[in-house]
Structure formats: structure tokens, C-alpha cells
Amino acid sequence: MTRFTLGQLAEALDAKLDGDATRVVTGVASLDSAAATDISYLTDPRYTPAARASRAGAFVAPVGTQGLPGPVLHCQSPQRALIELLTLFFP
């Protein structure tokens, strides 16, 4: 099973972490299917309500995103970060 801490992911994605750097995630999932051990992604502000309702353990989101229910990796380009994230989990 692939496992990363949020600190490791923040470094790999050149993201600013708002949350616990030691928290471990073991998968990547969409907002509506994510579990507490998954990291999910918000690439468009239109989906902010879905992100706020998500059960994801952490999120990749644009810089300045607030009000999500878990730690956030703030990225300048969340689309690019998502691609990099997928290559980390599925090399």
C-alpha cells in the first residue's frame, strides 16, 4: 500500500500545507467518494460545496481556499498538482 504524509506531499507538490504534516494518506479519490485515508482535490471553485461535504482526509486546492473540513495543500496550479499526485500514488 502506498502511503505518504502530508508533509511529504507538500514538498513533492511544492504546496503550502495548512494542517498536520504527519497525517498519512493512502489514496487519491474524488470529492464524493473519498474516505478519511484519501486525499482529494478541488480544481475549480464551483465544486467548493462538494469539497466542504467531502469525507476526504485532506485536499489539494487553489491558494486561498478556506473552509474545507480537513488539511489543505494550497497549490498555485491544482490541476498540475493533481497530475503529480497521481504519478506519486500510481507510478
Side-chain angles (χ1 to χ4, degrees):
M1 176 185 300
T2 304
R3 302 167 49 94
F4 291 101
T5 66
L6 296 183
Q8 290 171 315
L9 293 177
E11 186 174 329
L13 302 176
D14 194 27
K16 182 176 184 281
L17 174 61
D18 180 8
D20 180 3
T22 64
R23 186 171 199 160
V24 174
V25 291
T26 59
V28 180
S30 64
L31 293 170
D32 61 341
S33 66
T37 57
D38 294 320
I39 187 166
S40 193
Y41 44 90
L42 176 62
T43 56
D44 189 307
R46 292 178 294 171
Y47 301 108
T48 300
R52 288 186 176 142
S54 179
R55 295 182 179 182
F59 300 86
V60 169
V63 171
T65 302
Q66 296 181 339
L68 299 185
V72 179
L73 293 167
H74 294 276
C75 303
Q76 291 294 332
S77 175
Q79 294 88 349
R80 190 191 83 214
L82 174 59
I83 293 167
E84 292 175 12
L85 184 67
L86 290 170
T87 62
L88 290 170
F89 276 92
F90 306 101

XYZ file of all heavy atoms in Angstrom:
668
model
N 0.838 -1.181 0.000
C 0.000 0.000 0.000
C 0.884 1.247 0.000
O 1.817 1.366 0.783
C -0.906 -0.002 1.230
C -1.735 1.256 1.352
S -2.725 1.377 2.851
C -3.756 -0.046 2.732
N 0.596 2.175 -0.885
C 1.327 3.435 -0.948
C 0.848 4.354 0.171
O -0.356 4.505 0.381
C 1.108 4.106 -2.312
O 1.490 3.204 -3.337
C 1.924 5.378 -2.437
N 1.803 4.949 0.876
C 1.477 5.843 1.983
C 2.375 7.076 1.909
O 3.573 6.948 1.689
C 1.740 5.160 3.328
C 0.992 3.896 3.554
C 1.531 3.107 4.749
N 1.695 3.892 5.953
C 0.776 3.990 6.918
N -0.349 3.355 6.810
N 1.013 4.729 7.985
N 1.783 8.229 2.110
C 2.551 9.472 2.175
C 2.030 10.308 3.328
O 0.828 10.318 3.596
C 2.382 10.303 0.893
C 3.024 9.705 -0.319
C 2.264 9.020 -1.251
C 4.385 9.829 -0.539
C 2.838 8.474 -2.374
C 4.982 9.280 -1.666
C 4.201 8.602 -2.590
N 2.941 11.028 3.976
C 2.490 12.025 4.937
C 2.145 13.287 4.146
O 2.638 13.488 3.019
C 3.570 12.366 5.985
O 4.669 13.008 5.323
C 4.023 11.130 6.752
N 1.340 14.135 4.739
C 1.017 15.394 4.059
C 2.249 16.270 3.918
O 2.368 17.020 2.953
C -0.099 16.129 4.807
C -1.443 15.402 4.836
C -2.485 16.262 5.539
C -1.902 15.035 3.432
N 3.180 16.162 4.845
C 4.437 16.900 4.722
C 5.229 16.462 3.498
O 5.771 17.295 2.766
N 5.282 15.158 3.255
C 5.973 14.644 2.069
C 5.288 15.138 0.796
O 5.954 15.538 -0.165
C 5.976 13.114 2.075
C 6.859 12.493 3.118
C 6.652 10.992 3.206
O 5.528 10.497 3.208
N 7.762 10.264 3.286
N 3.962 15.100 0.797
C 3.224 15.544 -0.390
C 3.385 17.043 -0.612
O 3.524 17.488 -1.750
C 1.752 15.158 -0.281
C 1.461 13.667 -0.332
C -0.028 13.408 -0.129
C 1.940 13.059 -1.640
N 3.370 17.822 0.452
C 3.554 19.271 0.308
C 4.891 19.574 -0.344
O 4.978 20.417 -1.246
C 3.441 19.952 1.667
N 5.917 18.871 0.081
C 7.242 19.082 -0.506
C 7.271 18.647 -1.972
O 7.769 19.365 -2.838
C 8.295 18.313 0.290
C 9.700 18.596 -0.159
C 10.739 17.931 0.732
O 10.489 17.758 1.934
O 11.808 17.596 0.201
N 6.716 17.485 -2.264
C 6.740 16.958 -3.632
C 5.926 17.808 -4.594
O 6.265 17.932 -5.774
C 6.217 15.526 -3.649
N 4.845 18.408 -4.091
C 3.946 19.193 -4.949
C 4.252 20.686 -4.897
O 3.551 21.480 -5.528
C 2.490 18.963 -4.542
C 1.993 17.511 -4.590
C 0.573 17.433 -4.056
C 2.078 16.966 -6.003
N 5.266 21.073 -4.133
C 5.596 22.485 -3.944
C 4.364 23.249 -3.472
O 3.998 24.289 -4.021
C 6.167 23.087 -5.238
C 6.835 24.423 -4.994
O 7.311 24.663 -3.866
O 6.852 25.252 -5.928
N 3.708 22.686 -2.452
C 2.469 23.246 -1.922
C 2.683 23.754 -0.501
O 3.591 23.305 0.201
C 1.376 22.182 -1.925
N 1.818 24.656 -0.081
C 1.841 25.142 1.294
C 0.777 24.367 2.063
O -0.397 24.402 1.710
C 1.545 26.636 1.346
C 1.597 27.200 2.746
C 1.381 28.702 2.732
C 1.537 29.285 4.113
N 0.376 29.110 4.962
N 1.202 23.677 3.093
C 0.291 22.847 3.873
C -0.339 23.639 5.000
O 0.358 24.266 5.789
C 1.040 21.640 4.446
C 0.255 20.744 5.401
C -0.955 20.125 4.713
C 1.165 19.677 5.980
N -1.656 23.573 5.071
C -2.414 24.121 6.194
C -2.990 22.915 6.926
O -4.038 22.395 6.549
C -3.523 25.042 5.683
C -4.341 25.652 6.805
O -3.966 25.501 7.983
O -5.385 26.268 6.502
N -2.251 22.410 7.930
C -2.690 21.233 8.663
C -1.512 20.425 9.172
O -0.359 20.864 9.116
N -1.801 19.226 9.639
C -0.839 18.329 10.269
C 0.057 17.656 9.236
O -0.399 16.828 8.450
C -1.613 17.280 11.070
C -0.731 16.279 11.786
O 0.516 16.406 11.724
O -1.291 15.364 12.408
N 1.338 17.964 9.269
C 2.298 17.418 8.304
C 2.528 15.924 8.500
O 2.988 15.246 7.586
C 3.634 18.153 8.408
N 2.184 15.379 9.664
C 2.419 13.963 9.924
C 1.222 13.082 9.540
O 1.335 11.856 9.597
C 2.764 13.715 11.407
O 1.640 14.068 12.216
C 3.989 14.513 11.809
N 0.125 13.685 9.164
C -1.062 12.904 8.786
C -0.743 12.064 7.551
O -0.132 12.541 6.597
C -2.228 13.829 8.498
C -3.511 13.080 8.246
C -4.667 14.025 8.175
N -5.888 13.283 8.375
C -7.022 13.811 8.732
N -7.100 15.106 8.952
N -8.089 13.078 8.877
N -1.164 10.810 7.554
C -0.876 9.874 6.470
C -2.109 9.681 5.598
O -3.226 9.525 6.108
C -0.422 8.515 7.040
C -0.260 7.482 5.935
C 0.881 8.681 7.816
N -1.901 9.706 4.275
C -2.957 9.366 3.323
C -2.471 8.191 2.487
O -1.280 8.038 2.230
C -3.365 10.559 2.433
C -4.091 11.623 3.249
C -2.173 11.175 1.730
N -3.424 7.349 2.080
C -3.063 6.122 1.375
C -3.685 6.018 -0.003
O -3.522 5.011 -0.681
C -3.463 4.885 2.198
O -4.882 4.922 2.420
C -2.726 4.840 3.526
N -4.408 7.056 -0.431
C -5.024 7.010 -1.746
C -5.481 8.381 -2.203
O -5.466 9.346 -1.443
N -5.896 8.428 -3.470
C -6.436 9.636 -4.081
C -7.844 9.298 -4.536
O -8.066 8.250 -5.143
C -5.602 10.072 -5.308
C -6.176 11.333 -5.931
C -4.152 10.267 -4.937
N -8.807 10.159 -4.244
C -10.191 9.882 -4.624
C -10.926 11.175 -4.932
O -10.530 12.258 -4.498
C -10.904 9.129 -3.508
N -12.013 11.053 -5.677
C -12.846 12.209 -5.986
C -13.524 12.702 -4.712
O -13.604 11.984 -3.703
C -13.904 11.832 -7.024
O -14.774 10.854 -6.489
N -14.017 13.911 -4.752
C -14.647 14.517 -3.577
C -15.779 13.659 -3.029
O -15.904 13.495 -1.818
C -15.177 15.915 -3.921
C -14.119 16.966 -4.237
C -14.768 18.223 -4.795
C -13.284 17.278 -3.009
N -16.597 13.102 -3.903
C -17.775 12.361 -3.435
C -17.483 10.932 -3.000
O -18.287 10.321 -2.306
C -18.890 12.384 -4.473
C -18.493 11.753 -5.790
O -17.296 11.607 -6.053
O -19.399 11.416 -6.574
N -16.327 10.391 -3.366
C -16.042 9.011 -2.977
C -14.885 8.883 -1.992
O -14.566 7.776 -1.557
C -15.747 8.161 -4.218
O -14.551 8.583 -4.831
N -14.274 9.977 -1.615
C -13.098 9.939 -0.729
C -13.466 9.507 0.687
O -14.543 9.833 1.193
C -12.437 11.311 -0.694
N -12.533 8.777 1.298
C -12.643 8.373 2.696
C -11.593 9.135 3.506
O -10.772 9.863 2.946
C -12.423 6.869 2.818
N -11.589 8.922 4.796
C -10.690 9.650 5.692
C -9.210 9.389 5.406
O -8.364 10.197 5.783
C -11.006 9.302 7.141
N -8.893 8.299 4.730
C -7.489 7.990 4.422
C -7.083 8.464 3.030
O -5.962 8.228 2.611
C -7.245 6.477 4.528
O -8.143 5.808 3.647
C -7.422 5.990 5.954
N -7.994 9.131 2.325
C -7.725 9.617 0.966
C -7.440 11.106 0.950
O -7.922 11.857 1.793
C -8.938 9.383 0.054
C -9.232 7.922 -0.178
O -8.283 7.143 -0.337
O -10.431 7.568 -0.212
N -6.690 11.516 -0.059
C -6.565 12.928 -0.376
C -7.422 13.168 -1.611
O -7.476 12.337 -2.521
C -5.092 13.350 -0.593
C -4.991 14.868 -0.744
C -4.445 12.610 -1.744
C -3.570 15.405 -0.629
N -8.159 14.265 -1.604
C -8.998 14.603 -2.743
C -8.541 15.939 -3.297
O -7.555 16.509 -2.844
C -10.477 14.643 -2.329
O -11.304 14.674 -3.479
N -9.257 16.440 -4.280
C -8.789 17.611 -5.000
C -9.947 18.532 -5.356
O -11.045 18.112 -5.675
C -8.053 17.180 -6.274
C -8.791 16.087 -7.023
C -9.741 16.385 -7.994
C -8.565 14.749 -6.719
C -10.439 15.378 -8.644
C -9.252 13.744 -7.364
C -10.187 14.067 -8.326
O -10.888 13.072 -8.955
N -9.669 19.818 -5.259
C -10.594 20.868 -5.650
C -9.870 21.687 -6.712
O -8.968 22.452 -6.393
C -10.960 21.725 -4.444
C -11.845 22.936 -4.716
C -13.199 22.508 -5.267
C -12.027 23.753 -3.453
N -10.217 21.472 -7.968
C -9.522 22.168 -9.049
C -10.329 23.323 -9.613
O -9.817 24.094 -10.407
C -9.167 21.196 -10.183
O -10.353 20.558 -10.640
C -8.161 20.148 -9.706
N -11.597 23.445 -9.198
C -12.466 24.511 -9.692
C -13.351 24.980 -8.542
O -13.983 24.154 -7.884
C -13.329 23.973 -10.837
C -14.093 25.059 -11.546
O -14.816 25.835 -10.867
O -13.991 25.153 -12.772
N -13.409 26.290 -8.295
C -14.203 26.809 -7.176
C -15.689 26.422 -7.227
O -16.359 26.414 -6.198
C -14.045 28.327 -7.286
C -12.816 28.538 -8.088
C -12.675 27.346 -8.993
N -16.187 26.057 -8.404
C -17.597 25.637 -8.497
C -17.889 24.419 -7.627
O -19.029 24.173 -7.255
C -17.976 25.297 -9.940
C -17.989 26.482 -10.871
C -18.335 26.041 -12.269
N -17.256 25.201 -12.780
C -17.305 24.507 -13.902
N -18.394 24.516 -14.640
N -16.271 23.799 -14.303
N -16.853 23.640 -7.317
C -17.043 22.413 -6.553
C -16.738 22.578 -5.063
O -16.664 21.595 -4.332
C -16.194 21.288 -7.157
C -16.566 21.041 -8.585
C -15.726 21.426 -9.622
C -17.787 20.464 -8.924
C -16.081 21.230 -10.947
C -18.155 20.266 -10.245
C -17.293 20.646 -11.247
O -17.647 20.454 -12.562
N -16.607 23.822 -4.608
C -16.338 24.077 -3.194
C -17.412 23.476 -2.287
O -17.074 22.864 -1.268
C -16.146 25.580 -2.936
O -15.039 26.038 -3.732
C -15.866 25.866 -1.470
N -18.714 23.600 -2.608
C -19.713 22.956 -1.737
C -19.509 21.441 -1.624
O -19.660 20.867 -0.533
C -21.047 23.294 -2.396
C -20.783 24.577 -3.132
C -19.370 24.422 -3.636
N -19.151 20.781 -2.706
C -18.896 19.337 -2.660
C -17.668 19.040 -1.815
O -17.638 18.046 -1.071
C -18.717 18.789 -4.074
N -16.657 19.879 -1.902
C -15.453 19.688 -1.088
C -15.776 19.850 0.391
O -15.305 19.078 1.228
C -14.362 20.667 -1.508
N -16.610 20.821 0.713
C -16.976 21.039 2.116
C -17.786 19.874 2.675
O -17.775 19.635 3.878
C -17.730 22.356 2.256
C -16.812 23.541 2.074
C -17.486 24.859 2.340
N -16.500 25.929 2.223
C -16.736 27.105 1.690
N -17.938 27.394 1.224
N -15.782 28.004 1.627
N -18.478 19.146 1.807
C -19.271 17.984 2.239
C -18.480 16.679 2.161
O -18.957 15.636 2.613
C -20.524 17.875 1.380
N -17.283 16.726 1.616
C -16.473 15.520 1.401
C -15.971 14.938 2.716
O -15.754 15.646 3.694
C -15.277 15.857 0.503
O -14.477 14.721 0.300
N -15.736 13.625 2.703
C -15.157 12.925 3.851
C -13.655 12.700 3.684
O -13.050 11.933 4.432
C -15.861 11.587 4.038
C -17.301 11.753 4.415
C -17.959 10.433 4.652
N -19.349 10.657 5.033
C -20.178 9.704 5.336
N -19.784 8.447 5.291
N -21.421 9.987 5.670
N -13.054 13.366 2.708
C -11.621 13.213 2.447
C -10.800 13.594 3.673
O -11.171 14.483 4.435
C -11.208 14.079 1.263
N -9.667 12.926 3.809
C -8.770 13.219 4.915
C -7.905 14.441 4.685
O -7.357 15.006 5.629
N -7.782 14.870 3.427
C -7.000 16.050 3.065
C -7.381 16.461 1.647
O -8.022 15.694 0.919
C -5.507 15.757 3.148
N -6.961 17.662 1.270
C -7.343 18.222 -0.027
C -6.169 18.921 -0.700
O -5.351 19.552 -0.035
C -8.456 19.270 0.149
C -9.696 18.734 0.772
C -9.831 18.681 2.151
C -10.735 18.263 -0.009
C -10.982 18.178 2.738
C -11.884 17.755 0.558
C -12.004 17.714 1.933
N -6.141 18.837 -2.019
C -5.318 19.701 -2.860
C -6.279 20.763 -3.365
O -7.358 20.437 -3.877
C -4.706 18.914 -4.045
C -4.088 19.863 -5.053
C -3.688 17.917 -3.548
N -5.918 22.037 -3.213
C -6.833 23.120 -3.587
C -6.040 24.362 -3.988
O -4.864 24.491 -3.655
C -7.762 23.439 -2.418
N -6.714 25.279 -4.689
C -6.043 26.520 -5.070
C -5.625 27.340 -3.847
O -6.270 27.266 -2.788
C -7.103 27.274 -5.874
C -8.096 26.249 -6.299
C -8.074 25.210 -5.232
N -4.583 28.118 -4.012
C -4.140 29.039 -2.967
C -5.325 29.912 -2.551
O -6.079 30.399 -3.391
C -2.973 29.909 -3.478
C -2.638 31.009 -2.489
C -1.756 29.049 -3.769
N -5.504 30.053 -1.240
C -6.560 30.904 -0.714
C -7.856 30.186 -0.395
O -8.760 30.786 0.184
N -7.958 28.924 -0.741
C -9.174 28.167 -0.431
C -9.301 28.015 1.076
O -8.346 27.666 1.755
C -9.139 26.772 -1.088
O -8.999 26.935 -2.494
C -10.390 25.979 -0.775
N -10.513 28.277 1.588
C -10.752 28.178 3.025
C -12.034 27.403 3.281
O -12.864 27.233 2.395
C -10.867 29.568 3.643
C -9.598 30.380 3.536
C -9.750 31.745 4.173
O -10.844 32.252 4.356
N -8.628 32.345 4.513
N -12.186 26.942 4.509
C -13.428 26.330 4.939
C -13.584 24.859 4.593
O -14.693 24.327 4.690
N -12.500 24.192 4.203
C -12.601 22.768 3.913
C -12.466 21.981 5.216
O -11.817 22.429 6.155
C -11.532 22.346 2.900
C -11.614 23.032 1.532
C -10.582 22.436 0.580
C -13.006 22.931 0.951
N -13.060 20.784 5.264
C -13.122 20.040 6.527
C -11.873 19.241 6.893
O -11.942 18.365 7.754
C -14.318 19.105 6.302
C -14.327 18.859 4.841
C -13.886 20.163 4.225
N -10.753 19.516 6.268
C -9.525 18.794 6.579
C -8.319 19.614 6.172
O -8.456 20.731 5.661
N -7.135 19.072 6.372
C -5.918 19.769 5.965
C -5.921 20.052 4.459
O -6.474 19.280 3.677
C -4.802 18.787 6.316
C -5.396 17.870 7.333
C -6.846 17.785 7.002
N -5.300 21.165 4.082
C -5.285 21.580 2.678
C -3.855 21.812 2.212
O -3.070 22.476 2.892
C -6.101 22.870 2.472
C -6.065 23.308 1.015
C -7.545 22.683 2.933
N -3.544 21.246 1.044
C -2.299 21.545 0.341
C -2.638 22.631 -0.671
O -3.298 22.365 -1.682
C -1.766 20.300 -0.368
C -1.299 19.173 0.542
C -1.109 17.896 -0.248
C -0.024 19.551 1.234
N -2.245 23.864 -0.366
C -2.555 25.003 -1.234
C -1.540 25.045 -2.380
O -0.334 25.104 -2.138
C -2.480 26.311 -0.444
C -3.536 26.415 0.612
N -4.804 26.846 0.333
C -3.503 26.134 1.929
C -5.511 26.841 1.444
N -4.738 26.407 2.432
N -2.046 25.023 -3.620
C -1.197 24.963 -4.804
C -1.519 26.099 -5.765
O -2.682 26.458 -5.940
C -1.412 23.645 -5.547
S -1.120 22.195 -4.545
N -0.477 26.627 -6.414
C -0.684 27.640 -7.451
C -1.469 27.056 -8.623
O -2.307 27.733 -9.207
C 0.660 28.193 -7.937
C 1.381 29.033 -6.926
C 0.644 30.320 -6.601
O -0.087 30.867 -7.405
N 0.833 30.815 -5.388
N -1.182 25.817 -8.969
C -1.868 25.137 -10.069
C -2.380 23.783 -9.573
O -1.666 22.776 -9.660
C -0.929 24.945 -11.261
O -1.578 24.190 -12.261
N -3.599 23.736 -9.044
C -4.094 22.463 -8.509
C -4.244 21.378 -9.577
O -4.106 20.199 -9.278
C -5.437 22.821 -7.877
C -5.802 24.149 -8.408
C -4.541 24.827 -8.826
N -4.470 21.763 -10.830
C -4.557 20.757 -11.900
C -3.212 20.061 -12.084
O -3.152 18.838 -12.183
C -5.007 21.396 -13.226
C -6.415 21.924 -13.213
C -6.508 23.376 -12.719
O -5.549 23.954 -12.191
N -7.669 23.973 -12.886
N -2.138 20.846 -12.129
C -0.795 20.268 -12.259
C -0.456 19.432 -11.030
O 0.116 18.336 -11.136
C 0.243 21.366 -12.461
C 1.616 20.774 -12.838
C 2.725 21.776 -12.786
N 3.131 21.847 -11.370
C 3.548 22.927 -10.765
N 3.635 24.058 -11.398
N 3.882 22.908 -9.498
N -0.818 19.929 -9.858
C -0.554 19.191 -8.623
C -1.292 17.855 -8.612
O -0.755 16.852 -8.145
C -0.951 20.035 -7.418
N -2.500 17.836 -9.139
C -3.253 16.582 -9.207
C -2.539 15.560 -10.088
O -2.418 14.389 -9.719
C -4.672 16.830 -9.722
C -5.518 15.584 -9.969
C -5.668 14.754 -8.700
C -6.875 15.981 -10.533
N -2.037 16.005 -11.219
C -1.295 15.098 -12.106
C -0.066 14.551 -11.381
O 0.204 13.342 -11.412
C -0.904 15.809 -13.415
C -2.163 16.119 -14.231
C 0.089 14.968 -14.223
C -1.938 17.084 -15.372
N 0.663 15.414 -10.697
C 1.848 14.978 -9.959
C 1.462 14.027 -8.827
O 2.143 13.036 -8.571
C 2.602 16.186 -9.426
C 3.234 17.025 -10.528
C 3.877 18.305 -10.013
O 4.040 18.452 -8.786
O 4.213 19.151 -10.848
N 0.366 14.321 -8.165
C -0.118 13.488 -7.077
C -0.444 12.077 -7.589
O -0.055 11.083 -6.975
C -1.367 14.132 -6.456
C -1.973 13.469 -5.237
C -1.040 13.558 -4.048
C -3.298 14.137 -4.914
N -1.115 12.008 -8.710
C -1.461 10.710 -9.300
C -0.217 9.916 -9.690
O -0.172 8.698 -9.504
C -2.394 10.884 -10.485
C -3.807 11.348 -10.129
C -4.575 11.727 -11.387
C -4.546 10.300 -9.332
N 0.802 10.602 -10.186
C 2.025 9.883 -10.548
C 2.776 9.380 -9.311
O 3.488 8.382 -9.383
C 2.969 10.722 -11.432
O 3.370 11.875 -10.712
C 2.303 11.118 -12.724
N 2.612 10.052 -8.182
C 3.223 9.564 -6.944
C 2.531 8.304 -6.456
O 3.178 7.342 -6.031
C 3.163 10.638 -5.852
C 4.061 11.852 -6.058
C 3.716 12.927 -5.037
C 5.518 11.450 -5.935
N 1.210 8.296 -6.493
C 0.447 7.161 -5.984
C 0.397 6.002 -6.979
O 0.254 4.855 -6.581
C -0.968 7.583 -5.600
C -1.057 8.157 -4.214
C -0.937 9.518 -4.014
C -1.246 7.334 -3.109
C -1.013 10.055 -2.723
C -1.317 7.858 -1.831
C -1.199 9.214 -1.638
N 0.488 6.324 -8.261
C 0.402 5.299 -9.312
C 1.567 5.461 -10.278
O 1.377 5.900 -11.412
C -0.933 5.407 -10.051
C -2.118 5.372 -9.142
C -2.786 6.548 -8.801
C -2.570 4.166 -8.604
C -3.874 6.522 -7.941
C -3.664 4.132 -7.754
C -4.311 5.316 -7.412
N 2.799 5.125 -9.829
C 3.987 5.359 -10.665
C 4.019 4.525 -11.935
O 3.409 3.536 -12.082
C 5.142 4.972 -9.744
C 4.575 4.224 -8.608
C 3.117 4.503 -8.568
